[in-house]
Amino acid sequence: LRYSHAGRAMRAIAASPHTAPLVGIDVKHYSALAFATGGALAAVAGILLSSFIGINPTIGAAFTVKALIVIVMGGIGHVMGGLIAALILGLAETMAALLLDPGLVTVINFAIFSIVLLWRPQGLFSGGSRTGTPLRIPKYTPAILALVALLFVPYLANTYWLSLAINILMYIALATGWAFFSGPTRYVSLAASAFFGIGAYSIAVLAPDYSYPVALLAAAMIALVLSAFVGLATLRLSGMYFVIFTFGLASLVSATVTWWEFNVARKAGWHLFLSITTTHIYYQLLALCAAIVALWIVRDRSRMGFALTTLGADETVARQIGINTVALKIGTFVVSSVVMALAGAILA
């Protein structure tokens, strides 16, 4: 409908059947093609339905009524609107049959249909007509809905899927935290493992003797101080110097912890026994991911985001137009490092 010649002709006829012939469109031909295509699709739907429901002469009546409701609710002529309306009504029908009473399915569908028409007489989408205003979905609505859906994962998932979700959230936090700094600045940081380990060992050492929140705060503060020091020491330079230093930092932290375990703690590895459940870990990681993504969105819509874009494109030019590139790089590097440390602390 959108990209083929026949589809454009059909849309032109739908918009103005009297004007379409003036630009060389054969109205009868394309109207017949549209009707035949719709009939073929309806036949395919009948074939699929016949595989799991009983067949009788009035089998199509109920589905025809539902189809009309979907078309009007979505916005006549709007394909995506019809798809969204179908999903809404289908989910409502299934949940009503599951949670309430199968006999109320039709009532609930018509109730939803009535509410939508009272709210938007033209349907959810106007279908390109001249009357009514198309529904405008806010940019971040899908992300907010996804976040709300993720809140229910621990109640719906078994142990395996919950563990898988925790691993996914961990990598989201680490990747987003890393890209928060390295993405706009073009500086490649190889210190992610160092800060992840610092967070984990902070919990291992402090949580048994102090409360878990105190250990979590300590992990964030240690990462903040260390990343600020690294930033001050290296981010005044550029390019390969920073990459080499962060690589050395990861090795330095690893060697220091290994020496401390062998000579001071007298043991290798730690076992933690805390009142933290898998569900708690999931929600903490989800909050961390939501926080870093939200912070990224806010940053990119601010002066700081524009300054980072300029810095990433040409750092020399950024300095010449008055941007404090050192403070900008250190600030984003600190945030990135704290996120990685918190991910390690939560996973510990």
Side-chain angles (χ1 to χ4, degrees), residues 7-30:
R8 287 192 292 269
M10 291 177 193
R11 290 194 293 119
I13 295 169
S16 180
H18 301 293
T19 308
L22 301 179
V23 293
I25 295 175
D26 187 339
V27 176
K28 290 184 178 180
H29 171 76
Y30 287 108

Side-chain angles (χ1 to χ4, degrees), residues 48 75 83 92 103 190 234 255 274 284 298 333:
L48 296 173
L83 175 61
L190 301 180
T234 60
L274 302 174
Q284 290 178 60
V298 172
F333 182 68

